[in-house]
Amino acid sequence: MRTLELLKKGDVSLVVVLNEDGAVQQFVTCRWYDSTMEYGDQWTWGHYFGKDLKAALKDFEDRA
């Protein structure tokens, strides 16, 4: 798994989690994202949305 930060405001990030083949596994809004850490330790709190980008964007906007 790998992650990519799509948006950031303050300590809130919108992150996409990608499978090994690069396909989207899920979107996450989270706090204190750090891409240098191992997967599973990259944020301290997260809300998971599966493949629902629209819901993840709304949650990001509400939190940021």
Side-chain angles (χ1 to χ4, degrees), residues 15-32:
V15 174
V16 61
V17 179
L18 304 170
N19 291 330
E20 296 302 322
D21 65 359
V24 172
Q25 179 179 351
Q26 63 186 333
F27 295 97
V28 181
T29 56
C30 60
R31 292 194 185 274
W32 302 289

Side-chain angles (χ1 to χ4, degrees), residues 1-4 15 31-44:
M1 305 270 191
R2 65 185 181 101
T3 60
L4 178 63
V15 174
R31 292 194 185 274
W32 302 289
Y33 174 73
D34 183 351
S35 64
T36 66
M37 302 291 287
E38 292 286 324
Y39 180 75
D41 294 325
Q42 292 183 332
W43 51 82
T44 57

